Every structure is written in structure tokens, then in C-alpha cells.
Amino acid sequence: MEISKLLYDSLPLTRVGFLPKTEEVIFAQDYSCFASMLEEYISYGVARIYMPNSAPEVSSIDEMPKILKCRVKLFDDSYEIDASHRILHGLRKEFGVVFTEDGIQLKFKSKSDRDIRSPMVELHSLVRKLAIGFNHSLQVDIELEKSIELLRFMRGKVLDGQTRVILAQLEAVLGTYSAVNFDAPSLVNRTKPSDTILMFDRLINDETYLEYSHNIARLSDPLSRNDALMHIRLLGGKIRKFEPLSAVWNYVAKVISVSAAGIPVPDTGLIASLVKNRPLPSIIDLTQARSKAFCNWSNTNKVETPLDSKGNPVVGGEVQWMSPSLGTKMINPQRDDVVSINGRKLRDALSKLLDKED
């Protein structure tokens, strides 16, 4: 039975605090916000989270809570990376953009147009996500309208005819999508992060939830879409009545973007290399979901001690923690959970920031 599968997108936050007595500044990696993101995953019937081998988090997957780690599946995305590189080769060539030695980061000339730097990075990410969605039958997190605007913007910048055609065809693919609305079961905001992780583990072993997940996956097929929506409504009601969990559920409107019926992928060499005879993937815009997850987490956890990847407090003592901001993702190649710095100047700077927040 096909189930709803989602491309992984982590949401760890950097927490900063200090010990007043020793003037020691603490930087900690806080995983407690990801549990709030799980609430959104549950609404979309996600039963398996897929993480590409190219993701930076692969190196720290062993640090995830065991109950969550077993639900994350690693997969090789080298084909999709190569396909996105080939498709956008002409674009990079026109603007003199190359890859760094690791073949991952884009390297721009010092005099290159700064207006195209961020869009260029976003475009490579977009094409890679689409390729992954096509070839692995995954729901992918894409801002549809923003992505269409991105393709139009870059098409207006580029002069090469073939590249313009490719960008136009990618825009045409996204243009086939339309929104499907449905009411989904959703956990209320007061649910604790640890309870949410346990809830997720119990649900993906529950037959009703797996059937709900199956029908979410069926939305990508135009022929089964109406029948899937009917089952989603019925199963959503059953999930809310699941006896041990009924007190923490609510209904929330959800949107998933799916391709219209009978519209083929453009039949050209480069665009065809993006797919392997797979149907168009479902698209979920998790921008608001991430903001909601952060707000829910912030309202209940922002003054608490950060949690490590195992759900335990990262440090003890009388650490005064700053309130974090959305978008401050931790990038830590050392895989350390806590970094401390002893310095009066940095402590004073943090104190001033705290005063501004107050």
C-alpha cells in the first residue's frame, strides 16, 4: 500500500545563553522545535520521512531520537543532483557560475550581478526537489507561486535561447498544478514535543492512520482524487476519535497542490532527464507550517532549557537563554550539542540584545 512520503526538511535552532556567575557564553543545538513540525507532518498523513544522502544532517542522523530515527529513510539523490546540474548548465555558463570543489556550492564571480545570486541558488534547489519528487514519488516542499515567479525572473535575465526554453518548460510543468483543499486532523498547540514524537510513532503503527496516509498519496492521481478526498474526510474523523488521543485533536484546513489530468511532461532531452516515467509529485508549501511550528514552540518552550537530539536538556546550571528567531538553523560540522565561550565582551553584547527584546 502506497503511503504519504515527504522529503526531509529539518528545523533545529541555535540557542544562545550565558552563565551570569562565570560569564560563560553557551551555544546549544535545540531539537525541540522539530516535534512541533511533526504536528504538520501528521496533518498531511506523512508516514515516512525521506532524507537525501546529500543533506548535511546525514552526518548526525545517529543523534536523532531513536523513536524518530527509525522513521527516516536515507536515499541516494546523486542522479537528481546530476540532472539538475545538466538542466541548468547553460544558465550557469551564461553568468560564469561554477561549482566549488565539493560540487555542491555555487561559486560566483566577484563582479557578477548580485540580483541573480540568490535566485540562482534557489533555482538549483527547486529543480533538484522536483527531480526527487518525480523519481522517488515523494511529496516535496515547494512554494509554488514563488517558484513560478523565480523561473520568470531568471528567464528575463538570460539571453541563451535554449536556456529560456528550458525555464519556460519548467514553468509550464508548475503551471499544471492546482490546489486541493481538505480538512485534516491536527494536534492542538498545547501538546508537548515529547508527546508529539510518541504520538507520531503510535500513529504510523495504526491501521487507520496508514489508510489516511494512503489516501493522501492517492491525491496525486487525477483518477482517484475524488474518492481519496471522501476517504480522507472519513478517516480524519476516526483519527480524532482514537481513544487515547481524542482529547488533543482539532480540525485544520490543509492545501496540497497536485497536477491536473492529462498534461504530459515536456518531451525534450534535458527535461526528460529529470524524470523516469513517474507521475508528477504532490507539492506541499510548508512555509506557513514552519512559521506555525516555530510560533507554537516559541509560545511554550522559548524560556526552557534546549533539548538535545535525544530529548534531554543540553546543559544544567543557571543558564539564561535568549529567545531564538526563526531561520537561525544550526550548521555544526563538529556535531557537538553545546559550544561554550568565555568572554566578557560577548556576554555584554548578548545582555544588550536581551535588554532590547524586553
Side-chain angles (χ1 to χ4, degrees):
M1 180 173 66
E2 185 181 3
I3 56 176
S4 176
K5 301 170 291 186
L6 184 69
L7 184 63
Y8 177 83
D9 187 14
S10 63
L11 195 64
L13 299 173
T14 300
R15 298 292 299 276
V16 183
F18 65 91
L19 288 166
K21 293 182 179 180
T22 64
E23 301 181 354
E24 183 180 15
V25 178
I26 307 294
F27 292 84
Q29 190 175 16
D30 191 349
Y31 282 81
S32 61
C33 191
F34 181 65
S36 297
M37 197 66 187
L38 277 180
E39 297 177 14
E40 300 299 321
Y41 286 6
I42 289 171
S43 293
Y44 283 105
V46 173
R48 184 63 66 90
I49 303 169
Y50 277 64
M51 179 186 292
N53 286 337
S54 64
E57 293 87 354
V58 168
S59 60
S60 59
I61 192 171
D62 289 336
E63 300 174 15
M64 286 185 175
K66 184 177 181 180
I67 199 171
L68 184 59
K69 180 174 63 175
C70 64
R71 306 305 175 189
V72 176
K73 179 178 176 61
L74 294 176
F75 70 95
D76 182 11
D77 62 333
S78 58
Y79 175 87
E80 289 75 27
I81 292 175
D82 182 62
S84 65
H85 290 181
R86 291 198 310 271
I87 289 171
L88 299 176
H89 171 74
L91 186 67
R92 294 192 304 275
K93 182 178 179 181
E94 180 164 331
F95 291 101
V97 180
V98 296
F99 284 102
T100 53
E101 292 183 0
D102 57 13
I104 298 176
Q105 302 294 328
L106 292 176
K107 184 177 181 181
F108 298 86
K109 293 182 178 180
S110 58
K111 296 182 180 180
S112 63
D113 185 354
R114 294 188 176 274
D115 290 342
I116 61 98
R117 293 190 180 190
S118 179
M120 182 78 75
V121 173
E122 292 175 9
L123 187 54
H124 279 76
S125 175
L126 168 65
V127 175
R128 183 184 65 87
K129 283 184 178 181
L130 281 174
I132 289 174
F134 277 126
N135 297 334
H136 298 276
S137 301
L138 302 181
Q139 296 175 357
V140 290
D141 174 18
I142 292 175
E143 296 181 64
L144 197 55
E145 292 185 3
K146 181 180 177 181
S147 297
I148 291 175
E149 292 176 359
L150 170 66
L151 288 164
R152 290 175 179 172
F153 172 79
M154 293 304 294
R155 188 150 52 94
K157 290 283 186 178
V158 73
L159 299 177
D160 178 65
Q162 184 181 12
T163 301
R164 288 174 60 85
V165 169
I166 290 173
L167 296 179
Q169 289 178 337
L170 287 172
E171 181 184 336
V173 170
L174 294 184
T176 68
Y177 281 83
S178 59
V180 172
N181 299 273
F182 60 95
D183 290 329
S186 176
L187 293 168
V188 298
N189 297 347
R190 65 175 179 271
T191 307
K192 296 179 180 178
S194 56
D195 291 342
T196 303
I197 294 176
L198 290 172
M199 189 92 64
F200 182 66
D201 183 69
R202 294 183 63 183
L203 283 171
I204 56 182
N205 289 289
D206 178 74
E207 185 175 336
T208 300
Y209 181 77
L210 290 177
E211 191 175 350
Y212 174 78
S213 175
H214 170 62
N215 280 279
I216 293 290
R218 291 176 67 208
L219 290 175
S220 61
D221 183 357
L223 298 178
S224 64
R225 193 166 298 156
N226 290 334
D227 184 65
L229 285 171
M230 180 187 69
H231 281 84
I232 287 170
R233 286 192 293 269
L234 294 174
L235 294 166
K238 289 183 180 180
I239 291 173
R240 291 183 69 234
K241 294 177 182 178
F242 188 28
E243 187 62 30
L245 312 176
S246 59
V248 296
W249 291 98
N250 203 343
Y251 268 131
V252 63
K254 290 295 179 182
V255 178
I256 188 169
S257 295
V258 292
S259 179
I263 300 178
V265 176
D267 186 17
T268 65
L270 284 175
I271 296 297
S273 69
L274 192 68
V275 301
K276 298 177 181 176
N277 298 319
R278 299 280 187 173
L280 293 171
S282 298
I283 290 177
I284 300 176
D285 183 358
L286 293 177
T287 304
Q288 292 185 354
R290 280 189 291 270
S291 297
K292 179 184 175 183
F294 175 79
C295 289
N296 292 345
W297 172 86
S298 181
N299 289 336
T300 57
N301 297 284
K302 67 179 181 180
V303 297
E304 296 181 2
T305 301
L307 302 181
D308 63 18
S309 57
K310 299 179 181 178
N312 302 316
V314 293
V315 288
E318 300 176 353
V319 180
Q320 296 184 18
W321 294 103
M322 293 178 61
S323 298
S325 300
L326 182 62
T328 54
K329 290 188 176 182
M330 168 67 88
I331 302 176
N332 194 340
Q334 301 301 320
R335 298 173 58 187
D336 295 328
D337 286 324
V338 180
V339 177
S340 62
I341 301 174
N342 196 328
R344 180 186 295 273
K345 290 184 179 180
L346 187 53
R347 196 287 308 272
D348 291 342
L350 291 172
S351 297
K352 291 179 181 178
L353 287 174
L354 286 170
D355 292 339
K356 288 181 179 180
E357 289 191 353
D358 295 336

